Amino acid sequence: MYSLTLKCLALKLLLLISCDARHSVYWRGNRRSIAEGGSSGTFNVLDYGAKGDGTSDDTKAFEDAWNEACKVAASTLLVPSGSTFLVGPVSFLGKECKENIVFQLDGKIIAPTSSSAWGSGLLQWMEFKSLTGITIKGKGVIDGQGSVWWNKSPDYDPADENDMMKDRKGTKMPGTKPTALRFYGSNGVMVNGITIQNSPQTHLKFDNCVNIQVSDFTTSSPGDSPNTDGIHLQNSQDAVIYRSTLACGDDCISIQTGCSNIYIHDVDCGPGHGISIGGLGKENTKACVSNITVRDVTMHETTNGVRIKSWQGGSGSVKQVMFSNIQVSEVANPIVIDQYYCDGGGCHNETSAVAVSNINYINIKGTYTREPVRFACSDSLPCTGISLSTIELKPATDKASSSEPFCWEAHGELKTETLPPIQCLKTEKSTSQSSNDAC
């Protein structure tokens, strides 16, 4: 009886092996990967030659693992925990890829600090391009090691940004600083759980993407690290960002031209420059932004709270924006609309502007250190449809400035009394849309 059972088990095993062979199951080392198109499988970068010791260049291993995962719908590329992977500039291209690939980040990825890895300068370090259904998730970390790019010397001049900069080892880094992680031209992008820290420039960027979800995401860079936006969206639609903690040296979230249907909630911002729409219309360009909601957000020790900024000379419009339930603590300028934005000087007066209309502020409370409310709107194209309700902003300390709200060509309505009183807001002005601000 026992002998018969063993024979039956052996026969079943032979049948299973034969079945596996017909379905193209192959082995790499002592781990199995599934190569049949349409089947799910996991592709561990360690199986493709990655060392994970923090010093060996693992770029090719990541590329090879991606190329295999790319062939399999709903596959997973695994970056395992317990290892640190040094990865140079890399593009994960999706033109020939199957859908719904998962990049499971449980370990740590670090950027090279040698100038030779960056050539004459690159706009991004890690890029995912032209994908349908791409997810990056896990508890892992992407570390841009940005301190070698951040020049903090006393004689640093931002106008010399194109010059080569010295890193801590005495070599020179390119003047063009890369974004840590960029998604381009993709549909159905999800980022969940990961941390990006010390990016040379922007931490996470979406460009020409639709159907975006970012949750439980963390950025961590010093408040004085230059141009290190937390999340940057451009020409992207239908995005939700929530349950995230963003600490950086620039805008926690930056919303640029071509964005619509953006929903941001339950975000902690600080240090940084707040949550901004713009700057829009630079160099006389047209900018279109609409249907933006920012709610249930806390900001602490940021230079701005919720801000809309545009350059003189631009065209297009920002409209249908809601800022609701914003708690600020020691924020320099909690509420800002600035149609005279000028970063770096050398700007001059122009008559055209990006139109700003239907902007709603509800339940914004806390403390400020410089100016509670600033509406600096265009002479030729004033801001219209500004609505404020339950605004309570107090100086952070007795020594803090107790400035009055500032308004210039700002038209709207106070739904409730405000603290401080915003007496400078003009009565609502009805204006017809011009061809200049049509989007």
Side-chain angles (χ1 to χ4, degrees), residues 323-371:
F323 298 115
S324 175
N325 299 336
I326 312 295
Q327 185 69 39
V328 297
S329 177
E330 297 188 25
V331 170
N333 310 291
I335 298 174
V336 179
I337 297 177
D338 184 6
Q339 287 184 292
Y340 299 90
Y341 180 71
C342 179
D343 183 19
C347 302
H348 55 277
N349 291 329
E350 299 196 39
T351 55
S352 63
V354 177
V356 177
S357 64
N358 298 325
I359 314 299
N360 301 288
Y361 302 91
I362 301 173
N363 195 33
I364 301 181
K365 300 179 179 180
T367 59
Y368 68 92
T369 61
R370 189 179 303 159
E371 188 174 45

Side-chain angles (χ1 to χ4, degrees), residues 227-243:
N227 306 120
T228 55
D229 289 35
I231 302 174
H232 179 103
L233 299 110
Q234 183 169 326
N235 296 315
S236 295
Q237 300 83 41
D238 304 323
V240 58
I241 300 169
Y242 62 101
R243 279 201 321 257

Side-chain angles (χ1 to χ4, degrees), residues 139-316:
K139 300 299 182 183
V141 175
I142 296 173
D143 189 341
Q145 304 204 95
S147 61
V148 298
W149 301 84
W150 308 329
N151 192 312
K152 301 177 182 179
S153 61
D155 58 351
Y156 171 59
D157 183 355
D160 297 332
E161 190 81 15
N162 291 328
D163 291 342
M164 304 297 278
M165 298 181 295
K166 292 184 177 181
D167 71 10
R168 62 180 173 227
K169 295 179 181 178
T171 60
K172 295 181 179 180
M173 304 300 283
T176 300
K177 304 173 189 174
T179 289
L181 178 60
R182 179 192 187 221
F183 292 89
Y184 179 83
S186 295
N187 184 348
V189 181
M190 181 181 294
V191 177
N192 173 260
I194 71 169
T195 295
I196 303 178
Q197 63 190 31
N198 301 320
S199 178
Q201 197 166 29
T202 299
H203 290 76
L204 176 62
K205 178 181 285 189
F206 298 95
D207 198 347
N208 282 280
C209 294
V210 294
N211 299 320
I212 300 162
Q213 180 175 310
V214 179
S215 61
D216 302 295
F217 171 67
T218 301
T219 64
S220 179
S221 288
D224 60 351
S225 56
N227 306 120
T228 55
D229 289 35
I231 302 174
H232 179 103
L233 299 110
Q234 183 169 326
N235 296 315
S236 295
Q237 300 83 41
D238 304 323
V240 58
I241 300 169
Y242 62 101
R243 279 201 321 257
S244 294
T245 302
L246 308 175
C248 56
D250 209 303
D251 295 328
C252 291
I253 301 176
S254 171
I255 301 168
Q256 299 294 327
T257 186
C259 290
S260 62
N261 302 328
I262 310 297
Y263 182 32
I264 299 163
H265 67 93
D266 296 286
V267 167
D268 181 87
C269 168
H273 293 183
I275 295 178
S276 294
I277 299 174
L280 304 172
K282 186 177 182 180
E283 297 177 350
N284 305 108
T285 56
K286 184 173 185 175
C288 298
V289 176
S290 62
N291 296 328
I292 310 297
T293 298
V294 179
R295 60 181 290 268
D296 301 321
V297 168
T298 59
M299 300 187 183
H300 44 93
E301 299 177 13
T302 56
T303 57
N304 299 286
V306 289
R307 176 171 59 157
I308 299 172
K309 53 182 178 176
S310 64
W311 299 73
Q312 293 187 72
S315 61

